[in-house]
Amino acid sequence: MQADTQRNWCSRRQDKARRISQLESLATGKEIPTARIVEALELLLEPGDKVVLEGNNQKQADFLSRSLGQVDNSKIHDLHMVMPSVGRPEHLDLFENGVARKLDFSFSGPQSLRIGQLMEDGLLEVGAIHTYIELYARLFVDLTPRMALLAGFKADRAGNIYTGPSTEDTPALVEAAAFKDGIVIFQVNEIVDDVSDLPRVDIPASWVDFIVLADKPFYIEPLFTRDPRLITDVHVLMAMMALKGIYARHQVQSLNHGIGFNTAAIELLLPTYGEELGLKGKICRNWTLNPHPTLIPAIESGWVESVHCFGTELGMEDYVAARPDIFFTGSDGSLRSNRAFCQLAGQYAVDMFIGATLQVDGDGNSSTVTRGRVAGFGGAPNMGHDPGGRRHASPAWLDMRTDTNPLTKGKKLVVQMVETFQDANKPTLVAELDAIAMASDYQMPLAPVMIYASDVTHVLTEEGIAYLYLAKSPEERRAMVAAVAGITAIGLARDPVETARLRAEGLVAYPEDLGIKRSEATRDKLAAKSISELQAWSGGLYQPPAKFRSW
Amino acid sequence: MQADTQRNWCSRRQDKARRISQLESLATGKEIPTARIVEALELLLEPGDKVVLEGNNQKQADFLSRSLGQVDNSKIHDLHMVMPSVGRPEHLDLFENGVARKLDFSFSGPQSLRIGQLMEDGLLEVGAIHTYIELYARLFVDLTPRMALLAGFKADRAGNIYTGPSTEDTPALVEAAAFKDGIVIFQVNEIVDDVSDLPRVDIPASWVDFIVLADKPFYIEPLFTRDPRLITDVHVLMAMMALKGIYARHQVQSLNHGIGFNTAAIELLLPTYGEELGLKGKICRNWTLNPHPTLIPAIESGWVESVHCFGTELGMEDYVAARPDIFFTGSDGSLRSNRAFCQLAGQYAVDMFIGATLQVDGDGNSSTVTRGRVAGFGGAPNMGHDPGGRRHASPAWLDMRTDTNPLTKGKKLVVQMVETFQDANKPTLVAELDAIAMASDYQMPLAPVMIYASDVTHVLTEEGIAYLYLAKSPEERRAMVAAVAGITAIGLARDPVETARLRAEGLVAYPEDLGIKRSEATRDKLAAKSISELQAWSGGLYQPPAKFRSW
């Protein structure tokens, strides 16, 4: 027992100062010339460094990721990359060329197959697959970065950053680096002289070490646009069941919708079927989700009190800016998104999460994992669980209690809304999740389950609703899932007598039990049937990206 | 179904502009004269407004809360206060004089008895009692404020804010107001001319509407200082059991400690007993907690790799500033605390929470609630639960699994560390929590339970450790709790044969089962036995507040 009086307690700070001093003749103040970014990265980095790279769900620090791919791999190698989202080919080029070696991430989307291949080839070692919010959390514990490579819209020469509407993950990613002597570098689309030339400041200059003008504006992906043309009558039927059998029944005030045509159909039924049911002003008032274009008719017809956003959505900028009573916007008028706070809001402050998935097993566990694809979790496991730390009550939350014991908490509504088949040969309801085979293929410590059965309160298919929170035993729960599993193997194995009992006791509801006629469930009920009708609802404020302009 | 073309979508923004314009002749730029703050509040507020007031766990916007108490209650009344912590008498004066009516909060500490009285008198209506993080979350959903009253250390005239080491809740509280057209007012201890005169910027000026020089520096409370003199031999015994029977056994790398003499004893045993056990470098490397003075010897002897802090602790400023390799600090050298991120880190990124409580029932539910006191939850329910959204593994987390099913997740270790009696007449282990009577006294929708039995993995008393995560049934779980309940009623009712079986099977461990001799558990094992020895360990950097200077 003894104090280590020889120890240097400021090694990170000194190391940072030493590295930064090497850019003395290269940078002008905080500004790195665009053409010299590769050289700068080679001077600032060392092998094995932990590096946060802002690949977000939507926004990409793509100039910096491309530049990192060009560093001399004899100088800079074996980096440990920490990234919310691995979405771009160059992210994985880093591993192929040896610049990086280890990866901690949350979501990989289009790169999921290649991650699996690089793992098999021994070129990429996965630290862990996280949800967004636990990845941010680890930045403050055991994944504190030496460098953070981030994207902003504009900077002034002092280093104040304007992120524009896609603030997204930036505040969470920058904080751990800025306050633990990491080096913070922002690529921006434009550099202005003075802070007064910035529309607003999202990240203060004193957290930023370097800025660099990108060769072109950062890439941002429109991930949350669903074309109403692709919504089917089946989606409409399911959406009607959701509204009557779940939203109205439990008085859902605040909620998060996943992306998908099912939930887009719900959004587009609020001004039509929702009004028929007399629900306006009674449900769906406070939202945590990205600015979905399919939410425009509900907003315009007065259903929506507030929307807090994880990120932005391309084309929605002007619409959002013109609706500050609904959206969170800055003094400049544009959206302030914030994934960390929106994830918190979606976990702790809303009544319900409803979303789709690719597979649901007989117990109600679900996953979007397909064999060979190391896809990651994104935010779904956080939205799709009952947060054990919640202590405030709401009517919907209390409605999930099945006894009157004062020690029984309410529950968040977690609804899995799926068609029984993905396509003719691919059932959604399956005996075993592919995630289990994945776990053994890649020696994962546990199967990559998206949402656990113990958290799911409802399963909704085109067949009906299973009110799983009412199940009195695991066996009854399985019978309830089977009752809505249609002609999948799980569904075909159900006992008709048991199914009749479940319906009679209100544990399962088919459309007719809810007073919904299948013949009435048609696309005619949608408040908008195309992107151009969404644009019309917005009074021309919504400007759909080119790929959605099919008229 | 129809767009509301008459609706004003910018009503909050216009309302804010209108209110602010009324201060045109009163304020100079963003600066409100100290002597005119009451007048300014009367001009800016309207009856019924939702107002965030920065009463935090430690830091208090006390000049603003005192000033709010002086507004004319015929003009300003029925405010809806949203406060993380209700810690000061003037917070409740607001309700007594009618300025405020409704309260949403997290923690009330010393004011808990008076809140109960005001509720009974019909002067105060509680919206809900939250944990810190769910209160922040609701700011973005259905508790969005019209005004936020906050505290900073310094401001420049443009409105950039330097919080100093006690950033705490400020970023979470300011964001919801700043980005939803709320009015943001900071009291500061000092106003400087230019941003270059600020040590660093914690909150950018474009989020801030007004600053006001406080009449005196904001109050901050040293809540996390535990004088080692008050640590007893029993605390030492329990700490030894914790280290050997929990920390070492499960290889706990990252953790959060509650406040209390039990956990302070653990901190002070790391450099002594921990080293004897050969655990240095193997456990307790990454911490999420306030800068506890009792952690100094462990830091100085090389046990600790990192500490991320919820808030600061008075007297620890210079010590923290001199240890930037360990703590998160800004470019100015001082601590950057952040309660929102630290709560995330403590939930999602650490292996274990260990803390004390006032009551534990036979199932393992715990609460600090005492009848008549509406005390709130603070952060304990968030630290003290298994976060269902976690997906990454760690050795300790995986060690909580009791089968090899790939669908079985690990668990966060949640340890309740209590002496079986608070004092001679007050057992800690009780048949029923007082929280249940409270719920019925105050018509609460559910009992104010701090930590639910389903989340508790271990109960540790001076009698031994109950490894509750291993319980195969609720009955066995109750027997395990009883086995460590000593001579409380619950403990006396235990079956000696069953207890012997539980010990033999390793479900319960007494000190002798762990190879710990009670005679060795003495204060001599503590690395520091007094505040002055802590100061000596710190090389004089720790400057204890006057009330702890007893030498």
Side-chain angles (χ1 to χ4, degrees), chain A residues 44 59 87 191 317 429:
Chain A
L44 291 171
K59 180 170 63 159
I191 296 177
E317 296 82 355
L429 281 296

Side-chain angles (χ1 to χ4, degrees), chain B residues 298-315:
Chain B
I299 293 172
E300 293 302 305
S301 52
W303 277 75
V304 176
E305 281 177 16
S306 71
V307 180
H308 189 261
C309 298
F310 304 96
T312 185
E313 181 64 2
L314 272 189

Side-chain angles (χ1 to χ4, degrees), chain A residues 1-4 7-13 128-131 133-134 136-142 144 171-172 175-176 178-181 200-204 206-207 254 271-272 275 286-288 299-302 304-308 321-331 333 336-338 340-341 344-345 347-350 361 365 377 381-382 385-393 397-398 401 406-410 433 436 439 445-447 449-452 455 526-527 537, chain B residues 1-4 7-13 128-131 133-134 136-142 144 171-172 175-176 178-181 200-204 206-207 254 271-272 275 286-288 299-302 304-308 321-331 333 336-338 340-341 344-345 347-350 361 365 377 381-382 385-393 397-398 401 405-410 433 436 439 445-447 449-452 455 526-527 537:
Chain A
M1 161 177 121
Q2 166 167 352
D4 180 355
R7 175 160 168 187
N8 176 4
W9 296 96
C10 306
S11 66
R12 282 180 69 101
R13 180 165 301 166
I129 311 179
H130 311 73
T131 60
I133 211 162
E134 68 183 304
Y136 310 150
R138 287 192 67 194
L139 297 177
F140 300 101
V141 178
D142 58 356
T144 309
E175 177 136 355
F179 293 104
K180 199 71 194 285
D181 291 314
R200 74 178 188 228
V201 175
D202 290 287
I203 305 292
S206 65
W207 308 8
S254 54
T272 55
E275 294 215 16
N286 303 108
W287 299 69
T288 59
I299 294 172
E300 293 302 305
S301 52
V304 176
E305 280 178 17
S306 71
V307 180
H308 189 260
R323 299 289 179 267
D325 278 357
I326 308 299
F327 293 94
F328 284 71
T329 58
S331 50
R336 164 89 171 188
S337 57
N338 189 316
F341 281 131
L344 275 191
Q347 270 189 79
Y348 276 109
V350 307
D361 74 13
N365 297 293
F377 302 115
N382 294 120
H385 84 284
D386 179 47
R390 174 170 171 170
R391 289 294 180 276
H392 77 279
W397 188 79
L398 289 174
R401 296 190 297 183
L407 290 175
T408 304
K409 280 189 288 188
L433 300 178
I436 291 183
L446 67 165
V449 173
M450 186 74 82
I451 299 182
Y452 284 86
D455 284 312
L526 297 174
W537 268 102
Chain B
M1 159 174 123
Q2 168 169 348
D4 180 354
R7 174 161 170 188
N8 176 6
W9 296 97
C10 306
S11 65
R12 282 179 70 101
R13 180 164 303 164
I129 311 178
H130 310 74
T131 61
I133 211 162
E134 69 184 304
Y136 310 150
R138 287 192 68 193
L139 298 177
F140 299 101
V141 178
D142 58 354
T144 310
E175 177 136 354
F179 293 104
K180 200 72 192 289
D181 291 315
R200 74 179 188 228
V201 175
D202 289 287
I203 305 293
S206 65
W207 308 8
S254 52
T272 54
E275 293 214 16
N286 303 107
W287 299 68
T288 59
I299 293 172
E300 293 302 305
S301 52
V304 176
E305 281 177 16
S306 71
V307 180
H308 189 261
R323 299 290 180 266
D325 279 356
I326 307 299
F327 293 95
F328 284 71
T329 57
S331 51
R336 164 88 171 186
S337 56
N338 188 317
F341 281 131
L344 275 191
Q347 270 190 77
Y348 277 110
V350 307
D361 73 12
N365 297 294
F377 302 115
N382 294 120
H385 83 285
D386 179 46
R390 174 171 171 170
R391 291 294 181 272
H392 78 277
W397 188 79
L398 288 173
R401 295 189 299 182
N405 183 333
L407 290 176
T408 304
K409 281 190 287 188
L433 300 179
I436 291 184
L446 66 166
V449 173
M450 186 75 83
I451 299 183
Y452 285 85
D455 284 312
L526 297 174
W537 267 102

Side-chain angles (χ1 to χ4, degrees), chain A residues 472-521:
Chain A
K472 288 176 287 295
S473 69
E475 294 68 35
E476 187 169 69
R477 191 181 174 86
R478 279 193 286 275
M480 290 163 74
V481 172
V484 298
I487 56 163
T488 62
I490 286 181
L492 291 172
R494 69 177 169 259
D495 170 3
V497 176
E498 174 69 351
T499 300
R501 179 188 73 83
L502 296 172
R503 289 177 65 187
E505 293 185 10
L507 301 182
V508 164
Y510 285 178
E512 45 272 39
D513 303 329
L514 296 166
I516 293 170
K517 290 187 189 150
R518 288 173 197 263
S519 60
E520 283 174 10

Side-chain angles (χ1 to χ4, degrees), chain B residues 348-363:
Chain B
Y348 277 110
V350 307
D351 291 333
M352 183 177 77
F353 163 78
I354 179 167
T357 187
L358 294 184
Q359 292 189 328
V360 178
D361 73 12
D363 293 308

Side-chain angles (χ1 to χ4, degrees), chain A residues 265-305:
Chain A
I266 297 173
E267 292 156 20
L268 291 170
L269 283 190
L270 289 173
T272 55
Y273 187 61
E275 294 215 16
E276 273 173 55
L277 296 175
L279 297 172
K280 189 166 151 181
K282 296 184 184 151
I283 63 164
C284 295
R285 300 196 301 202
N286 303 108
W287 299 69
T288 59
L289 82 178
N290 281 303
H292 291 185
T294 42
L295 200 57
I296 292 172
I299 294 172
E300 293 302 305
S301 52
W303 278 74
V304 176
E305 280 178 17

